[in-house]
Amino acid sequence: MTITSTLTRTEGHLRLRAERVGARTRITEMECRAPLQLMRCHYLDAAQPDMAFATVVSPSGGVLQGDRLELQVTVAEGARLHLDTASAMRLYRMPDQRAEQEVTLTVAEDGFLEYLPDPAIPFAGADFVGRTDARVAEGATLILTEAVTAGRAARGEVHQFKRYESVVEIGRPGGPVLSLDATILDPADGLAALGRLGGQAATGTLYVVGAGFGAATLRAAAADANVPDTVAGASTLPGGLGAWLKVLGPDGPSVSAVLTAAAAAAHEAILGTPAPGSRRP
């Protein structure tokens, strides 16, 4: 008897445009296809009343084999948008085909975008490729984080996924790529070895693209966060783009705590007011 595998693929997308309309930033264009959706905007920062806060949600609960997801965000001139996610991205077992996600971020002159998604959690057997293309005008700002955990550690799934790959490219609109950063995790390479994760279980990155922004702010924020068993390092991005921070830690919450603290410090350094606290309990 021959058993044929039937692969069901989801091709979801969320494409949105944020513009300054009067005294506030509004979502002026949006197109979505399940499982990606956007919750309506709120205005949560009394010190920055024009900034819109929105959350990307996925009712499917996770990413399955063969899925193709696309997120496209455009922030127009003078608009300011904070974008996050409702929960971690769960990458389920993928025995037959990998899943892919493509993120495109475009920020026009004097625009401001914070995109702070929750970490990815690759289950045993997960196979995932993500690509982010960020195009930021010279007078604009982008604060971007990404993080990945070792898996479902409570179930003993530590680095039991097939492969996790995430590539982030940053440049100016219409120009060449000025910075390229690849996070490629393959358990077959011995991730616990020195020169790889060195015994740590989770890793994350913060990118701050903004004129004149330096690494010192990120170093100080990571040190002040004082999260146990984490290590972090910051340096400048090439092409005069700004600065970035790399974090290693024992688990996703630890890495996320450092990234959140550093992102908040960057927010305050650029806008001059503290970032509002989390709405989560």
Side-chain angles (χ1 to χ4, degrees), residues 169-239:
E169 298 181 352
I170 307 174
R172 303 300 184 194
V177 173
L178 298 176
S179 171
L180 187 152
D181 178 39
T183 299
I184 300 174
L185 303 178
D186 187 337
D189 292 336
L191 294 178
L194 291 175
R196 294 181 174 85
L197 294 182
Q200 299 281 19
T203 182
T205 311
L206 165 66
Y207 309 88
V208 182
V209 182
F213 187 86
T217 298
L218 303 184
R219 292 193 193 103
D224 291 344
N226 195 28
V227 180
D229 302 320
T230 59
V231 292
S235 62
T236 57
L237 287 167

Side-chain angles (χ1 to χ4, degrees), residues 61-63 89-94 120-127 149-152 155 157 159-163:
V63 180
M89 181 170 63
R90 295 168 178 83
L91 306 174
Y92 294 130
R93 188 173 68 91
M94 302 173 189
I121 303 176
F123 287 30
D127 189 356
T149 74
R152 295 185 296 176
R155 296 175 62 94
E157 293 181 5
H159 297 148
Q160 292 186 15
F161 49 88
K162 289 183 181 178
R163 182 180 171 90

